[in-house]
Short mmCIF file of all heavy atoms in Angstrom, two decimals:
data_model
loop_
_atom_site.label_atom_id
_atom_site.label_comp_id
_atom_site.label_asym_id
_atom_site.label_seq_id
_atom_site.Cartn_x
_atom_site.Cartn_y
_atom_site.Cartn_z
N PRO A 130 -203.06 226.16 -50.96
CA PRO A 130 -204.18 225.97 -51.80
C PRO A 130 -205.56 226.48 -51.20
O PRO A 130 -206.41 227.05 -51.82
CB PRO A 130 -204.35 224.51 -51.98
CG PRO A 130 -202.94 223.98 -51.84
CD PRO A 130 -202.36 224.86 -50.72
N TRP A 131 -205.62 226.43 -49.85
CA TRP A 131 -206.88 226.84 -49.24
C TRP A 131 -206.94 228.38 -48.93
O TRP A 131 -207.89 228.88 -48.55
CB TRP A 131 -207.13 226.17 -47.88
CG TRP A 131 -205.89 226.13 -47.10
CD1 TRP A 131 -205.38 226.84 -46.23
CD2 TRP A 131 -204.93 224.92 -47.22
NE1 TRP A 131 -204.03 226.36 -45.74
CE2 TRP A 131 -203.93 225.19 -46.24
CE3 TRP A 131 -204.93 223.74 -47.91
CZ2 TRP A 131 -202.71 224.36 -46.06
CZ3 TRP A 131 -203.83 222.88 -47.72
CH2 TRP A 131 -202.84 223.23 -46.82
N ASN A 132 -205.84 229.11 -49.31
CA ASN A 132 -205.88 230.60 -49.23
C ASN A 132 -205.90 231.30 -50.62
O ASN A 132 -205.60 232.54 -50.69
CB ASN A 132 -204.66 230.96 -48.41
CG ASN A 132 -204.84 230.72 -46.95
OD1 ASN A 132 -205.95 230.60 -46.43
ND2 ASN A 132 -203.70 230.59 -46.29
N CYS A 133 -206.13 230.56 -51.49
CA CYS A 133 -206.16 231.18 -53.03
C CYS A 133 -207.10 230.29 -53.88
O CYS A 133 -207.22 229.09 -53.63
CB CYS A 133 -204.77 231.30 -53.45
SG CYS A 133 -203.78 229.77 -53.55
N ALA A 134 -207.42 230.92 -54.98
CA ALA A 134 -208.24 230.26 -55.95
C ALA A 134 -207.92 230.92 -57.34
O ALA A 134 -207.61 232.09 -57.38
CB ALA A 134 -209.69 230.19 -55.76
N ILE A 135 -208.11 230.26 -58.40
CA ILE A 135 -208.06 230.66 -59.72
C ILE A 135 -209.37 231.13 -60.18
O ILE A 135 -210.27 230.28 -60.27
CB ILE A 135 -207.26 229.82 -60.66
CG1 ILE A 135 -205.84 229.55 -60.23
CG2 ILE A 135 -207.30 230.39 -62.20
CD1 ILE A 135 -205.14 228.47 -61.08
N VAL A 136 -209.60 232.40 -60.54
CA VAL A 136 -210.90 232.93 -60.98
C VAL A 136 -210.58 233.83 -62.14
O VAL A 136 -209.93 234.76 -62.16
CB VAL A 136 -211.66 233.78 -59.94
CG1 VAL A 136 -212.90 234.27 -60.36
CG2 VAL A 136 -211.76 232.97 -58.63
N GLY A 137 -211.26 233.41 -63.20
CA GLY A 137 -211.09 234.14 -64.57
C GLY A 137 -209.74 234.31 -65.00
O GLY A 137 -209.33 235.32 -65.44
N GLY A 138 -208.90 233.34 -64.77
CA GLY A 138 -207.41 233.31 -65.24
C GLY A 138 -206.61 234.05 -64.39
O GLY A 138 -205.33 234.26 -64.63
N LYS A 139 -207.03 234.56 -63.16
CA LYS A 139 -206.16 235.29 -62.22
C LYS A 139 -206.20 234.57 -60.95
O LYS A 139 -207.25 233.91 -60.51
CB LYS A 139 -206.70 236.74 -62.04
CG LYS A 139 -206.60 237.61 -63.20
CD LYS A 139 -205.25 238.14 -63.36
CE LYS A 139 -205.20 239.15 -64.48
NZ LYS A 139 -203.85 239.48 -64.82
N LEU A 140 -205.12 234.56 -60.09
CA LEU A 140 -205.21 234.13 -58.79
C LEU A 140 -205.76 235.15 -57.83
O LEU A 140 -205.32 236.23 -57.88
CB LEU A 140 -203.77 233.73 -58.44
CG LEU A 140 -203.67 232.84 -57.13
CD1 LEU A 140 -204.15 231.41 -57.45
CD2 LEU A 140 -202.26 232.87 -56.60
N VAL A 141 -206.72 234.77 -57.01
CA VAL A 141 -207.19 235.59 -55.87
C VAL A 141 -206.72 235.04 -54.68
O VAL A 141 -206.60 233.68 -54.49
CB VAL A 141 -208.67 235.80 -55.86
CG1 VAL A 141 -209.16 236.50 -57.19
CG2 VAL A 141 -209.47 234.39 -55.81
N VAL A 142 -206.23 235.86 -53.70
CA VAL A 142 -205.50 235.31 -52.53
C VAL A 142 -206.24 236.11 -51.14
O VAL A 142 -206.30 237.33 -51.29
CB VAL A 142 -204.03 235.65 -52.69
CG1 VAL A 142 -203.28 235.02 -51.47
CG2 VAL A 142 -203.39 235.00 -53.91
N TRP A 143 -206.47 235.35 -50.30
CA TRP A 143 -206.92 235.86 -48.99
C TRP A 143 -206.09 235.38 -47.87
O TRP A 143 -205.06 234.64 -48.02
CB TRP A 143 -208.40 235.56 -48.81
CG TRP A 143 -208.77 234.07 -49.02
CD1 TRP A 143 -208.71 233.10 -47.96
CD2 TRP A 143 -209.05 233.45 -50.16
NE1 TRP A 143 -209.01 231.91 -48.59
CE2 TRP A 143 -209.23 231.99 -49.85
CE3 TRP A 143 -209.23 233.73 -51.45
CZ2 TRP A 143 -209.60 231.00 -50.80
CZ3 TRP A 143 -209.62 232.79 -52.48
CH2 TRP A 143 -209.79 231.48 -52.01
N ASP A 144 -206.40 235.78 -46.80
CA ASP A 144 -205.61 235.28 -45.43
C ASP A 144 -204.22 235.85 -45.44
O ASP A 144 -203.30 235.14 -45.52
CB ASP A 144 -205.80 233.92 -45.19
CG ASP A 144 -207.12 233.44 -44.61
OD1 ASP A 144 -207.93 234.30 -44.35
OD2 ASP A 144 -207.46 232.34 -44.58
N TRP A 145 -204.13 237.21 -45.25
CA TRP A 145 -202.75 237.89 -45.27
C TRP A 145 -202.14 238.17 -43.90
O TRP A 145 -201.28 238.93 -43.68
CB TRP A 145 -203.02 239.21 -46.02
CG TRP A 145 -203.12 239.01 -47.47
CD1 TRP A 145 -204.35 238.74 -48.13
CD2 TRP A 145 -202.15 239.02 -48.42
NE1 TRP A 145 -204.09 238.51 -49.40
CE2 TRP A 145 -202.78 238.74 -49.66
CE3 TRP A 145 -200.74 239.30 -48.41
CZ2 TRP A 145 -202.01 238.72 -50.89
CZ3 TRP A 145 -200.10 239.25 -49.63
CH2 TRP A 145 -200.72 238.92 -50.91
N GLU A 146 -202.59 237.46 -42.87
CA GLU A 146 -202.29 237.71 -41.37
C GLU A 146 -200.69 237.51 -41.30
O GLU A 146 -200.03 238.15 -40.47
CB GLU A 146 -202.84 236.80 -40.45
CG GLU A 146 -204.37 237.08 -40.32
CD GLU A 146 -205.14 236.10 -41.25
OE1 GLU A 146 -204.70 235.60 -42.20
OE2 GLU A 146 -206.46 236.00 -40.96
#
Side-chain angles (χ1 to χ4, degrees):
W131 43 87
N132 287 335
C133 59
I135 298 174
V136 179
K139 296 277 186 191
L140 191 71
V141 295
V142 182
W143 51 89
D144 286 347
W145 289 81
E146 295 95 339

